[in-house]
Amino acid sequence: MAGMLLIISGPSGAGKTTIARRIEQAFDDASFSVSVTTRPKTPKDRDGVDYRFVSEDEFQRMIDAGDLLEWAQVFDHRYGTPRGPVEQALRDGRIMILEIDVRGARIVKQKVPDAFGVFILPPSRDALLQRLRDRKREDEEIIQRRFREAQREIADAQEGGVYDVFIVNDDLEKAVTLTQAVVEAERRRRLR
Ligand code: 5GP
């Protein structure tokens, strides 16, 4: 099978994590890239599964050692993609899913030009704001900040050069089915 680096991005609250995990389950040979981050662990996070939580020093050590394929500062913390597992997956012809932000995606596209980019869009601005509120993870000031960030990220993504498809998540099952179909089609195209 043809290896494939699959980038999935989208503003927080657009449902990209759920979609990325469903794609991981849908393909036998897909794995989810576990990012390293300096952000504090929340009760919902599974260490080593959702993220690997590291100190600022450890993060810097990984940058200096060249262990990260890309990294970015998102909100107040740093997030990065460990290089080793990505390279191994591509050598093995597997799918590696990177759920990363737009700036990180731009760097990955420069390094791995045939990475395939999917951007998940919320159905509307109002729906995005509502979803950020429904997560009940943050207070209103932070929600507003994430909302402004989300709008900036959508505008950046639409500038072009990184994402091959934009998928509107107004119905989760439809968005998953569509993303899966697009990935399957791209994989078949690469095998020809
Ligand atoms: P959260 O803290 O809500 O889990 O993630 C915040 C943002 O960081 C999301 O947009 C997510 O896609 C992004 N992110 C997570 N891991 C990485 C990474 O390894 N690299 C980059 N560039 N962004 C990441």
Side-chain angles (χ1 to χ4, degrees):
M1 259 293 184
M4 182 166 162
L5 193 52
L6 175 63
I7 300 170
I8 299 184
S9 309
S12 43
K16 64 178 181 300
T17 308
T18 311
I19 293 172
R21 289 296 186 181
R22 292 280 298 273
I23 295 300
E24 181 194 15
Q25 288 164 11
F27 293 88
D28 287 349
D29 64 342
S31 29
F32 185 90
S33 161
V34 181
S35 297
V36 286
T37 182
T38 60
R39 92 152 156 73
K41 184 177 174 299
T42 67
K44 275 189 181 172
D45 293 314
R46 297 160 299 171
D47 196 0
V49 178
D50 298 310
Y51 288 106
R52 195 153 74 75
F53 296 90
V54 299
S55 65
E56 286 287 347
D57 283 354
E58 171 68 1
F59 197 95
Q60 189 59 47
R61 196 199 57 72
M62 292 183 82
I63 295 173
D64 295 342
D67 289 346
L68 299 181
L69 179 64
E70 62 75 35
W71 67 272
Q73 172 107 16
V74 185
F75 306 112
D76 299 324
H77 305 289
R78 298 201 280 179
Y79 296 79
T81 304
R83 177 193 298 278
V86 170
E87 290 178 348
Q88 188 62 51
L90 294 183
R91 272 199 299 274
D92 294 346
R94 290 186 287 116
I95 300 178
M96 187 55 134
I97 304 167
L98 265 50
E99 196 240 277
I100 61 176
D101 83 327
V102 177
R103 279 165 302 169
R106 230 172 255 292
I107 297 167
V108 170
K109 263 304 242 195
Q110 280 163 13
K111 293 187 175 174
V112 185
D114 72 350
F116 189 75
V118 176
F119 194 87
I120 308 296
L121 284 166
S124 67
R125 281 164 48 112
D126 285 353
L128 174 64
L129 186 56
Q130 193 53 50
R131 285 187 200 177
L132 288 172
R133 290 199 169 122
D134 289 347
R135 295 205 304 185
K136 295 193 175 65
R137 221 168 74 169
E138 294 118 354
D139 61 31
E140 185 62 22
E141 191 188 324
I142 295 181
I143 288 170
Q144 288 297 335
R145 187 171 146 209
R146 286 201 174 234
F147 184 50
R148 285 194 300 273
E149 276 293 315
Q151 293 179 82
R152 184 191 57 75
E153 193 161 42
I154 292 169
D156 283 356
Q158 285 171 338
E159 260 175 33
V162 179
Y163 298 98
D164 297 278
V165 288
F166 289 79
I167 289 177
V168 178
N169 179 14
D170 52 2
D171 174 295
L172 180 64
E173 291 311 317
K174 281 188 196 154
V176 168
T177 304
L178 190 54
T179 308
Q180 197 178 325
V182 161
V183 171
E184 259 161 22
E186 175 60 17
R187 234 177 167 203
R188 275 199 299 276
R189 194 187 68 77
R190 289 175 182 216
L191 280 173
R192 280 208 305 270

